[in-house]
Amino acid sequence: MGRLLIVEDHAGLQDLLVRGLARAGIAADCARTASEASACIATVRYAAILLDRGLPDGDGVRWLRSLRTERITVPCLMLTARDALHDRIDGLEAGADDYLAKPFEMAELVARIRALMRRQASWVGLAATYGDVTIDPASAELRRGHASVTLSAAELQLMLALMRAQGAVVRRSALEAAAWGLSEPVTPNALDVALHRIRRKLVALGSRLELRNTKGIGHALVERIEDA
């Protein structure tokens, strides 16, 4: 289903949200400020955002409006203690997809978040092609012609990140965040192991694509130039 970004500065509520959503099978990263949230958005492709309107470094509505100006279309549920009509209108006009006032029932919040994440999944679930391979996020299959291999959840997210980069180098930290999120502990060799498995699967498919390592920076998915 993808990951959720929670933008909420109240530590107690943030913990309540993380635990409640985890019980519903929704993994989440957390940011306490708008600036932290922007850093998360720049690193991870989220399925949805749960946004508190009042943040220590600004108004959540203003932050959301800036995302939409940058054409970042991640579905957003705005969470706030304010229930006045003009506050709801402000949020929706800024680009919020849904609005829930505090206090709220966790069951309702989970249902609304799932609805937003399904909406995003219907977009990111479309097959993508790069070089001579196609990746289908819905089935987690990497295909070349009639041949296919199945990717693990981490491998799938890594391939999507590398394919979106269109041959550009993706930093190791960005790849780790794409595969495991910002809140999951990652062992030192986890990324290298996952990339090694992807290399083997590309070879198994007979693909011309290969993973190229730029030492100390990151990795790129590039097309191998055949000898004349």
Side-chain angles (χ1 to χ4, degrees), residues 41-57:
I41 289 290
T43 305
V44 180
R45 192 184 187 104
Y46 290 100
I49 300 169
L50 178 59
L51 174 64
D52 183 27
R53 174 156 187 169
L55 299 173
D57 58 346

Side-chain angles (χ1 to χ4, degrees), residues 25-66:
I26 300 173
D29 293 329
C30 296
R32 292 177 55 86
T33 65
S35 58
E36 287 181 9
S38 293
C40 292
I41 289 290
T43 305
V44 180
R45 192 184 187 104
Y46 290 100
I49 300 169
L50 178 59
L51 174 64
D52 183 27
R53 174 156 187 169
L55 299 173
D57 58 346
D59 184 1
V61 168
R62 189 174 297 109
W63 178 76
L64 179 60
R65 186 175 287 113
S66 71

Side-chain angles (χ1 to χ4, degrees), residues 124-128 134-143 156 160:
V124 301
L126 299 176
T134 297
I135 192 167
D136 182 2
S139 62
E141 284 187 336
L142 184 65
R143 301 168 184 160
L156 172 62
L160 287 171

Side-chain angles (χ1 to χ4, degrees), residues 8 43 75 85 88 123 127 146 224 227:
E8 167 62 61
T43 305
L85 177 60
R88 296 198 299 273
W123 177 73
H146 297 293
R224 183 173 59 252
D227 294 333

Side-chain angles (χ1 to χ4, degrees), residues 6-228:
I6 299 173
V7 188
E8 167 62 61
D9 67 304
H10 189 284
L13 179 56
Q14 188 182 95
D15 182 61
L16 177 68
L17 290 168
V18 170
R19 288 188 286 110
L21 290 164
R23 285 194 295 269
I26 300 173
D29 293 329
C30 296
R32 292 177 55 86
T33 65
S35 58
E36 287 181 9
S38 293
C40 292
I41 289 290
T43 305
V44 180
R45 192 184 187 104
Y46 290 100
I49 300 169
L50 178 59
L51 174 64
D52 183 27
R53 174 156 187 169
L55 299 173
D57 58 346
D59 184 1
V61 168
R62 189 174 297 109
W63 178 76
L64 179 60
R65 186 175 287 113
S66 71
L67 287 190
R68 299 309 190 224
T69 300
E70 296 170 12
R71 298 185 179 180
I72 297 173
T73 59
V74 183
C76 178
L77 170 64
M78 184 158 285
L79 190 64
T80 180
R82 307 174 190 181
D83 196 25
L85 177 60
H86 70 273
D87 286 320
R88 296 198 299 273
I89 292 173
D90 285 348
L92 294 171
E93 288 188 343
D97 298 89
D98 200 357
Y99 204 100
L100 187 61
K102 305 172 188 176
F104 57 86
E105 293 292 333
M106 183 60 69
E108 181 181 5
L109 176 66
V110 167
R112 292 187 183 218
I113 289 295
R114 280 179 170 159
L116 289 182
M117 296 178 89
R118 282 195 298 269
R119 183 185 308 177
Q120 179 75 344
S122 67
W123 177 73
V124 301
L126 299 176
T129 299
Y130 178 66
D132 58 358
V133 300
T134 297
I135 192 167
D136 182 2
S139 62
E141 284 187 336
L142 184 65
R143 301 168 184 160
R144 180 176 181 266
H146 297 293
S148 67
V149 293
T150 301
L151 302 173
S152 70
E155 291 164 2
L156 172 62
Q157 296 305 320
L158 287 171
M159 277 299 296
L160 287 171
L162 289 162
M163 290 173 77
R164 286 196 296 268
Q166 297 286 300
V169 175
V170 183
R171 291 186 176 275
R172 288 183 62 90
S173 58
L175 290 171
E176 289 177 344
W180 296 283
L182 298 176
S183 60
E184 296 293 327
V186 182
T187 57
N189 296 325
L191 178 60
D192 294 320
V193 170
L195 291 173
H196 174 69
R197 289 173 177 164
I198 288 174
R199 285 190 178 94
R200 291 177 58 185
K201 291 178 180 182
L202 288 170
V203 170
L205 289 175
S207 173
R208 295 189 302 274
L209 293 176
E210 62 181 11
L211 282 170
R212 189 166 297 168
N213 175 28
T214 301
K215 190 173 181 180
I217 300 178
H219 301 264
L221 188 63
V222 299
E223 192 163 4
R224 183 173 59 252
I225 299 175
E226 303 290 348
D227 294 333

